């Protein structure tokens, strides 16, 4: 959901957009050098330096091959203490988690496998092939991390090794949502790397399009901004005085915490709904309507001080700790015992609980028997070859994780870690980007929000119906007799959004252009299909991000069954339509130590490219089909 009212945007002017370099002097002042390009000497647009080539004599060449272009160099004084988004040389970035370039390069190398993806996605090849990291990084902040004074993340552009220009095809514009031209000569997306252990190592990436920070700058009229990332669906560009002058994504709101209490207290894992024709089985709570913020400053203070958001950030940090372990092998330990051998671990300590596998993936193969009640410690007896990851939670609040591997008696016992590393990526798609609809929210609609956007919830459901209309469910959009769902918004899409808006109890507040759908109402969007006489089978789950795993697994299983999923990501502020899923496992001694997961998401932002988001942040997921 977008925070701002409708604005007019200038059309795209060049292939390479929004690039600048900052030259630091010995004084307090820095000078920004920005190369700009124009076709008419009136409208100028920034041109990224890394989209250009060097000739043999050291001069710069623009490979776009467009005639009648003019260039100029803009110099602008900046205050480094202003915290604006001047690019930082990637080589210089070292943080508490390590060298940012090394982490990013490792992830890129592991991801950049040429794999045959679904036709229509990245030219038929999924992944990053023939690409490299850019030589700069953009700092991104979060007010709850390091006091908001130091970067919490860095966004690194990914660019193609082959600079051959391609056809320029500008897309339609949608208010306050990023719209990107397709087929640019070098931009191949970006990767966000965490600069702290409080968030997952790689929360976001996309394999095409401009970096998010550059899109924020374009929205801000090509001004430098201070990027602030609050959750996967809300990124803000701040001016030097801290006001919001650009944003990507959804409008935050205040959710009623009462329905979340049983989830946070572990009384239940998630809420569920199962609906088919003539059957509606729902386990849903009753909650109050969402509340909204009257100003960006009010939202920032709420973000820092609200008890629920503080708890969600703590859960995110706990989930991140599991992922960071694989980047520090010293934290990973494996113990080997033989079949019929008996051994006690953690002697003298009172074990309060035992967890197998990792959160959301309890893996225990019964290769050993265990007991915690006899004299303290963890007593293990080997049964058969195999193994599991074990986490012992002690009475004093500490914990210990290690692998127990059971082997035949003749097997030599190595010491410490052995055989650890990532598996190759496994991936699944429910269709391709070519099947996805480029819908976005409607603005100032008298039957939804007459002074703002219509909400990401109705948009996500509309994208689902647009997809299934072309897959045989003829009654879910437009004419009931044939497939006619459009690629972009039209009145048929508006009709879906209006009905879902009412069915899902989406709320809007005219004075600050906001709309929101509570997670306990989101499942009701299926009623559009019911009332149109279509067939449907929709199984939904929702819970708490970073701790309720059923929503994530529900969406994963749906995509594996060739069914895209309406997905909720982040702190209850955004719904998307996911059609891809990718995972890999870090294994030691044949035992899974951890799993990385990403969903490929249509963000509901019109013509913008798809994005991959970390699977731990999912709070709503479904396995749905319409026919």
């Amino acid at each position: 959901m977008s925070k701002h009212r409708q604005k007019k945007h200038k059309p795209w002017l060049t292939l390479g957009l929004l690039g600048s370099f900052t030259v630091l002097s010995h004084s307090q002042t820095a000078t920004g050098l920005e190369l700009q390009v124009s076709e008419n000497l009136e409208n100028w647009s920034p041109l990224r330096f890394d989209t250009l080539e060097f000739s043999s004599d050291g001069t710069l060449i623009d490979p776009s091959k467009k005639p009648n272009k003019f260039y100029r160099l803009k110099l602008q004084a900046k205050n480094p203490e202003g915290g604006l988004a001047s690019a930082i040389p990637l080589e210089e970035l070292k943080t508490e988690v390590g060298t940012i370039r090394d982490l990013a390069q490792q992830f890129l190398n592991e991801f950049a496998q040429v794999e045959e993806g679904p036709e229509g996605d990245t030219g038929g090849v999924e992944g990053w092939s023939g690409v490299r990291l850019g030589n700069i990084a953009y700092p991104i902040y979060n007010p709850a991390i390091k006091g908001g004074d130091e970067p919490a993340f860095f966004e690194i552009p990914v660019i193609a090794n082959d600079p051959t220009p391609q056809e320029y095809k500008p897309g339609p514009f949608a208010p306050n949502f990023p719209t990107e031209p397709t087929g640019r000569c070098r931009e191949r997306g970006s990767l966000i790397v965490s600069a702290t252990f409080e968030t997952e190592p790689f929360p976001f990436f996309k394999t095409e399009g401009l970096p998010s920070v550059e899109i924020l700058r374009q929205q801000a009229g090509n001004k430098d901004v201070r990027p602030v990332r609050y959750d996967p669906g809300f990124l803000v560009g701040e001016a030097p005085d801290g006001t919001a002058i650009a944003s990507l994504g959804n409008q935050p709101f205040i959710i009623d915490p009462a329905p979340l209490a049983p989830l946070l207290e572990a009384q239940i894992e998630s809420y569920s709904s199962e609906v088919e024709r003539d059957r509606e089985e729902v386990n849903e709570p009753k909650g109050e309507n969402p509340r909204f913020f009257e100003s960006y400053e009010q939202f920032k203070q709420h973000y820092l001080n609200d008890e629920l958001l503080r708890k969600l950030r703590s859960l995110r940090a706990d989930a991140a700790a599991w992922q960071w372990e694989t980047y520090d092998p010293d934290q990973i330990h494996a113990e080997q015992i033989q079949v019929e051998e008996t051994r006690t671990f953690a002697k003298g300590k009172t074990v309060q609980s035992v967890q197998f596998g990792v959160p959301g993936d309890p893996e225990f193969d019964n290769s050993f028997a265990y007991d915690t009640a006899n004299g303290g410690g963890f007593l293990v007896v080997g049964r058969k070859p195999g193994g599991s990851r074990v986490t012992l939670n002690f009475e004093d609040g500490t914990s210990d994780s290690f692998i127990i591997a059971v082997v035949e008696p003749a097997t030599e016992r190595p010491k410490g870690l052995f055989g650890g590393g990532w598996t190759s990526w496994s991936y699944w798609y429910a269709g391709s980007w070519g099947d996805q609809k480029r819908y976005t929210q409607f603005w100032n609609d008298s039957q939804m929000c007459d002074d703002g956007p219509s909400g990401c919830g109705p948009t996500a459901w509309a994208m689902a119906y647009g997809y299934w209309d072309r897959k045989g469910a003829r009654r879910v959009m437009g004419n009931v007799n044939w497939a006619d769902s459009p690629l972009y918004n039209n009145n048929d899409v508006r009709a879906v959004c209006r009905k879902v808006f009412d069915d899902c109890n989406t709320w809007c507040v005219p004075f600050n252009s906001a709309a929101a759908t509570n997670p306990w109402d989101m499942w009701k969007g299926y009623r559009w299909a019911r009332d149109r006489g279509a067939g449907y089978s929709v199984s939904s789950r929702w819970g708490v991000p970073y701790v309720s795993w059923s929503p994530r697994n529900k969406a994963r299983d749906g995509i594996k069954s060739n069914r895209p999923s309406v997905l909720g990501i982040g702190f209850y502020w955004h719904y998307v339509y996911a059609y891809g899923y990718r995972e890999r496992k870090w294994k030691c001694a044949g035992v899974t130590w951890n799993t990385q997961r990403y969903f490929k998401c249509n963000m509901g932002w019109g013509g913008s490219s798809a994005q991959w988001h970390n699977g731990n942040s999912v709070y709503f997921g479904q396995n749905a089909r319409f026919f």
Side-chain angles (χ1 to χ4, degrees), residues 31 204-205 237 304 348 375 429 456 525 568:
T31 301
F204 156 91
F205 63 93
L304 287 172
Y429 289 94
C456 57

Side-chain angles (χ1 to χ4, degrees), residues 253-257 260 290-291 308 518-520 542 571-573:
F253 63 94
I254 304 173
I255 192 173
D256 180 8
L260 307 183
R291 293 181 291 127
L308 173 60
N518 280 317
W520 51 84
W542 78 270
F571 294 166
Y572 300 104
W573 297 334

